[in-house]
Amino acid sequence: MSFTGVLYIASALGLLISFLSNRSKTKQAVKKAYKAFSNIFADLAMVLLLVGLMMTYISPQIIGRFLGNESGVLGVAVAAIIGSVTLIPGFVAFPLAASLLNQGAGLVPIAAFVSTLMMVGVVTLPVEIKYFGRKQTFLRNGLSFIYAIVVALLLGVLLS
């Protein structure tokens, strides 16, 4: 039995124990879980679609050429810029990063992509400026971009 199967069985047993001890709270929890799943379902479906399209139309050779280990500084820069201007949640970014790694992308560009995706928000700049001011927003995003590149390069050194 796989680890996922064990988790499904443990979840079902936990739900059954909860239901036997307090039916109303269990129903309330299941409704909240359904609502949370409904909220992320569109994002999950979108990432599955994007990954499917990417694996269909972009060959591993192309990914390797632009984001592979041999892509050098240009590959890291491209990945960091794409990560900075992309607005997707982490639970979508990590499977996407894993599929890119499996398709031939290098660790350093993918680390730069994920790091800038999580830390730099070009798309959210107007909202951030509204609340924190122009100087703090550009300082935070600029330093986050530099930090993301440094972390990606360090990961490349440590894991190679």
Side-chain angles (χ1 to χ4, degrees), residues 69-126:
N69 286 327
E70 295 81 29
S71 62
V73 174
L74 180 65
V76 175
V78 167
I81 290 169
I82 291 172
S84 296
V85 298
T86 306
L87 184 63
I88 56 176
F91 68 88
V92 174
F94 295 126
L96 178 63
S99 66
L100 286 170
L101 282 172
N102 289 335
Q103 293 293 313
L107 182 63
V108 174
I110 294 304
F113 169 72
V114 172
S115 298
T116 53
L117 182 70
M118 295 292 127
M119 296 169 52
V120 180
V122 171
V123 176
T124 58
L125 275 178

Side-chain angles (χ1 to χ4, degrees), residues 2-158:
S2 71
F3 181 70
T4 305
V6 171
L7 288 179
Y8 282 135
I9 291 172
S11 298
L13 286 175
L15 186 65
L16 179 64
I17 292 170
S18 175
F19 185 75
L20 292 176
S21 67
N22 190 332
R23 291 181 181 198
S24 66
K25 282 188 176 180
T26 303
K27 286 180 183 177
Q28 190 178 15
V30 169
K31 284 180 183 175
K32 282 187 178 181
Y34 176 75
K35 196 177 251 184
F37 178 74
S38 297
N39 287 338
I40 66 169
F41 180 74
D43 291 334
L44 280 174
M46 183 57 75
V47 75
L48 290 175
L49 178 69
L50 287 174
V51 169
L53 288 173
M54 182 187 73
M55 291 176 140
T56 301
Y57 293 110
I58 301 175
S59 70
Q61 291 80 19
I62 291 175
I63 293 172
R65 185 167 26 139
F66 289 105
L67 298 175
N69 286 327
E70 295 81 29
S71 62
V73 174
L74 180 65
V76 175
V78 167
I81 290 169
I82 291 172
S84 296
V85 298
T86 306
L87 184 63
I88 56 176
F91 68 88
V92 174
F94 295 126
L96 178 63
S99 66
L100 286 170
L101 282 172
N102 289 335
Q103 293 293 313
L107 182 63
V108 174
I110 294 304
F113 169 72
V114 172
S115 298
T116 53
L117 182 70
M118 295 292 127
M119 296 169 52
V120 180
V122 171
V123 176
T124 58
L125 275 178
V127 175
E128 198 172 333
I129 288 171
K130 180 179 175 185
Y131 287 101
F132 300 117
R134 183 174 298 275
K135 182 180 176 185
Q136 284 79 15
T137 298
F138 283 107
L139 187 64
R140 189 199 71 74
N141 280 285
L143 290 174
S144 295
F145 187 84
I146 292 168
Y147 182 73
I149 298 295
V150 170
V151 166
L153 294 173
L154 283 174
L155 277 175
V157 169
L158 292 174

